[in-house]
Amino acid sequence: MSLNRSILLLLPLIAAAPALAQTTVTGQPATGGASSATSGGQNAVTRPNTDLAHDGRAAATGTGMNVKLERGSNSFTEGEVRRRLEKAGYHEVKDLKKDGDGIWHGSAMDDGKPTSIGLDFKGNVAVQ
């Protein structure tokens, strides 16, 4: 067998070696009847709290008086932020900017008064 032919036969094995070397076992199967379906799973990380009040109506004006905004990776677009703030009862939302902590800041009218507001990655709205 020629050297070139030997190399051609070995190339697929060499190419597969890194993938095989990175394969790991991540854990043992659940025992005693436990499964992911019965364990309760993991709670959701994001939970918007400003979309609807408890009675099913839009959240009232002034919703964010005692809310603390949390830092985090915020994927909301400017349009989504504007809609959430308007749904929370704020009007004339403007000057929206996202800071380095992932919190959107802007200004709006609340009960006829100018207000500084913010929205975090979970959808929490707060007066600032």
Side-chain angles (χ1 to χ4, degrees):
M1 188 182 311
S2 73
L3 182 61
N4 287 339
R5 185 173 219 170
S6 297
I7 291 174
L8 288 176
L9 291 173
L10 289 175
L11 279 178
L13 294 174
I14 293 170
L20 294 172
Q22 293 177 9
T23 303
T24 61
V25 176
T26 58
Q28 299 297 322
T31 59
S35 72
S36 59
T38 60
S39 70
Q42 179 179 349
N43 293 334
V45 174
T46 59
R47 180 188 45 83
N49 69 352
T50 59
D51 289 340
L52 296 175
H54 295 291
D55 59 5
R57 292 182 294 157
T61 302
T63 299
M65 290 300 214
N66 296 322
V67 176
K68 179 170 174 17
L69 299 178
E70 296 182 42
R71 297 169 40 176
S73 180
N74 194 321
S75 62
F76 291 124
T77 65
E78 183 175 341
E80 290 170 328
V81 171
R82 184 177 311 282
R83 284 188 294 278
R84 285 177 177 268
L85 293 172
E86 288 172 349
K87 199 170 191 177
Y90 298 96
H91 305 284
E92 299 178 37
V93 177
K94 60 184 176 180
D95 302 326
L96 290 171
K97 301 259 188 273
K98 184 167 56 169
D99 68 14
D101 291 331
I103 297 173
W104 282 91
H105 300 276
S107 59
M109 297 299 285
D110 183 27
D111 278 338
K113 299 177 198 145
T115 305
S116 294
I117 52 176
L119 183 132
D120 68 10
F121 76 102
K122 290 183 177 182
N124 296 321
V125 176
V127 174
Q128 301 180 311

